[in-house]
Every structure is written in structure tokens, then in C-alpha cells.
Amino acid sequence: MHVISTSSKVNNSEHLIEVKGLVKYFPVLSRGIIRTKRIGWVHAVDNVSFHIDEGETLGLVGESGCGKTTLARTILYLIPPTSGTVYFDGENVFEVFKSGDKSKIMELRRKMQILFQNPYTFLDPRMTVKEILSEPFEVHGVLDKEKITDAVFKLLDMVGLEPYHADRYPHEFSGGQRRRISIARALALEPKFLILDEPVASLDMSIRSQILKLLIKLQQEKKLTYLCISHDLNSILHVSDRVAVMYLGKFVEIADVETIFKKPAHPYTKALISAVPVIDPKTGRERIILQGEVPSAINPPKGCRFHPRCPHTKDICKKREPQLVEIEKGHLCACHLVSG
Ligand code: SF4
């Protein structure tokens, strides 16, 4: 079993976020009458490395259950990692949390925020919007009481809501408005890095585009850095500078958004891209239908994890795991049949 890395406290890299060899396994337990036994591990995130530069948006795409949300929560230490390292602005995030230093932990929590997938679950239905938006200031003690109301009105204005919305409860809003309240809350403490977990899931098309536009506008105004997670490649392509494709706990391809869209190299990415609707039918793009379901992360397939569903599987794919290698500048792919 892996142990948490003891790598250095400070990293000299110029990237705002640097993730190195991140692993998160969950135990699979069998409960007997007398005792509970561990009978395996769910390989939710398996040796993932990447970076995000300041002001950049990295899109992270993959089917449901591929480990995207676990990766996001592990980066923020909302769930502890099995091994690996995350640096934020040169600081080792896991070391800070393990140190128990409350002021440093609060500072990291302020700078690294997450916009949770479902606003219903984290906007308390018994609290007014004013109370919801005041809470981060109160918990972190960053504003005097008399200044908090002004700050709440500024947040509402920032996300396109009106001052009178402050006295209403979450159930009185539409899905799009609730998403705006979540964004206001996530940005209340002026973070530098924001994880967007399915930011437009279950919204209508026109509302999706409004929310994505708002997120892009706020990123430019506040120089934010985003990790945007979605199973919907269409949304990812709209907001991202680069895209990482995840399959069964591993990254299989990373490239800038244009390369991923026009020249995907990995067979899984090609299948995802082929499902994105195109306006011009002359592109001649054929839909690739993948066979079967995503295999279980408890016993991932040997060799290339994608081989049971890949239309190009060779013998080597079943025996040897392909590594994520640079096939051209800034374009990484993990496939035996793709080389630079
Ligand atoms: Fe398909 Fe083999 Fe490439 Fe995996 S390594 S994606 S199975 S061709």
C-alpha cells in the first residue's frame, strides 16, 4: 500500500498548481459478524501528475465514475490522499494540512475554493442568501460585522443578482440563480484557485451559456485559475485553455483545447470528441460508439485500462500499461500505438 509522500515543503516551479503522482485508493470492506475485512481497493485516482498555470483553465473530462471528483477533493485535502504531492503557489498543500497549523490551513482554504456540483446540497435551505454569503466572512473573521452586509451586496452584484435577493431562501430561486449564489459564495474570500465541479450540470442550454460566460468574465476580472471538471466535453471546450482526459483513474491525454478538438490522439478522446455536435456537417466526422461499460475501478484491467473497449487493441495493450508521454510540444498521450 502506498504511503503519503514526504517530499519537500516548497516547490520552485512557476506553476500555480502542480500535482505529482497523486494516488487515492478507497478500501473495499466486507463486514462479517465478528470483524470487518478489507478485500480490495477502489483505484479512484492512480498516479496522476499535471500542472495549471496562473490565470489558466484546465478542463478535466471523462465519463461519470472515472475519478474526476475524487481528484478535485483530494487536491483540496477534503479527502486525504493515499500518496503524491500537490503544490499551490510553491507550497506543499498536504504538508500544511498534516502540520495542523490552523492559520496556514485557513489561509489555504481561502485561496483554494471549490464550486460544488449540486447547489441544493450545500446551500442550507434554512438560511437566507444574506446568511449564506455572510458565513465565509464570519468563519474566517476577515471583515468587521458592519462591513459584511456591504460585502454581501457587492457579491450579489458581481454575479448578476439584485440586493432584494439577499432576504430570500435558496428554494425561491431558479437553478441558474442558485448557481450564481454558489459562485458568489465560492468567490467571497477572493481565492486564487477555484475548482468548478460540473458547473453547469442539469441547467438548460441557454442558462449554461450564461453561467459559463459569467465564469469567464470573473476569471478575467479577478485573475482566477480554474480546474473545470465535467463529463460534458462541449462545456469544457468553451471555457478551457488546455484539456486533460481521464479514464478509470488515469490521465490518458492532455493538450491545448484546439489540439484536443482537431487532432485528438488517444482512441478514447477520439470517441468523446466524435460525440460533440458540430454545426458544419461537411467536417465529415464520424461518431465512434464505444462498446461496453467503464470497467470496475476495484479490479482495473491489466495493461491499458481502456483495452476492453478500444477498437484498436493489440496484444501489447493487454500486457503493458502505456505511459503518458509527450508526442509533440505540450501534447501528452498514453497509448502504445501513438508516438511522437
Ligand atoms: Fe487502445 Fe492499445 Fe492505445 Fe490502449 S494502448 S488506447 S488499448 S491502442
Side-chain angles (χ1 to χ4, degrees):
M1 188 56 205
H2 297 260
V3 289
I4 292 177
S5 154
T6 50
S7 41
S8 62
K9 277 195 165 41
V10 180
N11 180 27
N12 291 325
S13 138
E14 70 259 25
H15 308 305
L16 184 71
I17 295 287
E18 181 136 30
V19 175
K20 290 185 175 176
L22 192 61
V23 175
K24 179 63 197 176
Y25 292 170
F26 294 102
V28 183
L29 303 174
S30 162
R31 294 186 200 283
I33 298 171
I34 300 174
R35 63 194 184 103
T36 299
K37 256 194 350 198
R38 176 173 51 74
I39 52 169
W41 296 97
V42 176
H43 298 226
V45 176
D46 215 346
N47 197 12
V48 166
S49 300
F50 62 96
H51 68 267
I52 314 177
D53 288 326
E54 194 157 4
E56 186 187 32
T57 298
L58 178 71
L60 176 55
V61 72
E63 286 158 293
S64 299
C66 73
K68 306 181 297 292
T69 297
T70 302
L71 175 64
R73 286 168 190 242
T74 311
I75 289 173
L76 298 180
Y77 207 78
L78 297 174
I79 43 178
T82 302
S83 67
T85 317
V86 172
Y87 292 100
F88 169 77
D89 221 357
E91 187 139 34
N92 188 324
V93 172
F94 300 159
E95 291 290 338
V96 170
F97 282 98
K98 281 189 287 168
S99 76
D101 182 331
K102 276 196 178 159
S103 73
K104 277 194 158 186
I105 291 172
M106 291 288 260
E107 199 186 325
L108 267 189
R109 286 268 176 257
R110 273 207 302 274
K111 291 180 181 168
M112 302 173 80
Q113 293 274 335
I114 182 166
L115 184 66
F116 285 107
Q117 195 173 132
N118 185 356
Y120 269 118
T121 53
F122 97 106
L123 296 180
D124 190 330
R126 295 159 303 179
M127 290 166 82
T128 63
V129 168
K130 185 178 171 195
E131 287 164 341
I132 288 168
L133 296 182
S134 300
E135 203 174 44
F137 300 118
E138 288 161 2
V139 170
H140 286 261
V142 290
L143 274 186
D144 297 335
K145 265 200 168 156
E146 56 277 13
K147 292 188 179 154
I148 291 182
T149 306
D150 276 353
V152 167
F153 289 145
K154 270 191 197 147
L155 286 173
L156 287 172
D157 181 55
M158 180 184 83
V159 296
L161 294 172
E162 300 295 333
Y164 65 83
H165 287 131
D167 295 321
R168 296 193 176 174
Y169 290 87
H171 73 270
E172 296 178 75
F173 293 90
S174 66
Q177 286 173 320
R178 269 195 296 272
R179 210 53 65 103
R180 286 173 191 267
I181 298 165
S182 315
I183 294 170
R185 185 175 157 117
L187 295 184
L189 299 171
E190 304 194 340
K192 285 178 85 170
F193 173 58
L194 184 60
I195 296 183
L196 311 168
D197 191 3
E198 301 281 0
V200 292
S202 64
L203 294 177
D204 292 345
M205 265 317 188
S206 61
I207 309 294
R208 277 183 195 202
S209 126
Q210 288 174 19
I211 297 292
L212 292 177
K213 275 186 191 156
L214 174 66
L215 287 166
I216 293 169
K217 177 176 151 280
L218 292 170
Q219 178 177 36
Q220 287 162 355
E221 283 172 10
K222 298 183 175 297
K223 300 189 173 50
L224 290 161
T225 302
Y226 289 154
L227 172 61
C228 182
I229 296 173
S230 180
H231 66 279
D232 170 21
L233 189 52
N234 216 1
S235 310
I236 288 281
L237 293 172
H238 273 93
V239 295
S240 306
D241 299 299
R242 287 184 303 132
V243 176
V245 182
M246 195 168 186
Y247 186 80
L248 213 55
K250 288 195 170 275
F251 278 12
V252 296
E253 187 160 7
I254 309 179
D256 63 76
V257 73
E258 197 178 335
T259 304
I260 286 285
F261 190 60
K262 292 190 178 156
K263 280 199 311 178
H266 195 280
Y268 179 59
T269 315
K270 286 182 184 175
L272 292 180
I273 292 288
S274 78
V276 174
V278 280
I279 295 165
D280 181 3
K282 283 186 252 153
T283 54
R285 184 191 290 159
E286 246 182 70
R287 177 85 194 262
I288 303 167
I289 309 281
L290 290 177
Q291 302 301 316
E293 298 287 316
V294 182
S296 161
I298 298 175
N299 284 312
K302 293 251 170 337
C304 173
R305 291 183 179 191
F306 186 55
H307 86 252
R309 301 174 78 198
C310 179
H312 311 290
T313 305
K314 301 275 181 276
D315 272 353
I316 189 178
C317 308
K318 299 175 188 168
K319 294 178 193 151
R320 231 176 60 208
E321 186 180 339
Q323 300 303 308
L324 194 63
V325 292
E326 193 162 52
I327 55 170
E328 58 184 351
K329 198 168 177 341
H331 186 179
L332 290 86
C333 180
C335 172
H336 290 306
L337 303 192
V338 178
S339 55

